[in-house]
Amino acid sequence: MESSPRSSVIIIGAGVSGLSAAKVLAQNGIGDLLILEASDRIGGRIRKEKFGDVSVELGAGWIAGVGGKESNPVWEIASKLGLRTCFSDYSNARFNIYDRSGKIFPSGIAADSYKKAVDSAIQKLKGVESNSVVDATNRTDFSL
């Protein structure tokens, strides 16, 4: 009877942390590692979905662990790419929105901006849906 191959290290999850751990281990001579992922893709919480005709980033709304002893690899990527970021105080995360300088936006302005963004997205989605219905009703050839 043949024995199953074994790995010296098993990493649970193919998100940024799991992939970073695998990279560091491989760079340090550990080649017999196994990454286990429950879903059918890599990336963890970071993923992109289509919302109407717009790509929307889902998950990974916060980069945790910024300012600690060791740098968060996601923060390093965001900084390297020049992505827009802002500080968030977790004690009031659902209420506070900060600008780049760390100055808090008044809650009324933040709520109004959020409502405008949601309303705009809904209108765009309705426009995409109505165009799709018109396109489908104007078709005469339904062959594949």
Side-chain angles (χ1 to χ4, degrees):
M1 176 184 264
E2 191 176 319
S3 65
S4 304
R6 293 182 172 250
S7 298
S8 62
V9 177
I10 297 174
I11 298 171
I12 309 296
V16 171
S17 295
L19 296 176
S20 294
K23 179 181 178 187
V24 168
L25 289 168
Q27 289 171 336
N28 287 284
I30 308 295
D32 58 338
L33 54 90
L34 175 67
I35 301 174
L36 299 177
E37 173 55 50
S39 68
D40 61 353
R41 61 174 200 73
I42 63 170
R45 294 182 299 138
I46 300 172
R47 70 183 190 277
K48 189 183 302 189
E49 296 288 332
K50 285 298 243 179
F51 182 74
D53 60 349
V54 178
S55 287
V56 178
E57 296 292 336
L58 300 177
W62 278 267
I63 302 173
V66 175
K69 285 190 257 180
E70 294 187 30
S71 183
N72 182 320
V74 175
W75 178 253
E76 290 176 14
I77 293 167
S79 298
K80 186 177 186 178
L81 295 174
L83 299 179
R84 185 176 51 193
T85 61
C86 61
F87 175 76
S88 179
D89 177 356
Y90 287 109
S91 64
N92 293 304
R94 52 178 230 187
F95 304 110
N96 294 345
I97 297 177
Y98 299 85
D99 66 15
R100 284 179 168 216
S101 70
K103 180 180 168 193
I104 191 167
F105 279 105
S107 60
I109 293 173
D112 190 44
S113 295
Y114 177 78
K115 183 179 181 332
K116 285 179 184 174
V118 169
D119 290 345
S120 174
I122 289 170
Q123 290 304 320
K124 284 183 180 181
L125 185 59
K126 285 180 178 177
V128 168
E129 287 175 350
S130 65
N131 288 341
S132 297
V133 170
V134 169
D135 290 346
T137 58
N138 288 337
R139 285 190 66 184
T140 56
D141 174 23
F142 293 99
S143 61
L144 297 175

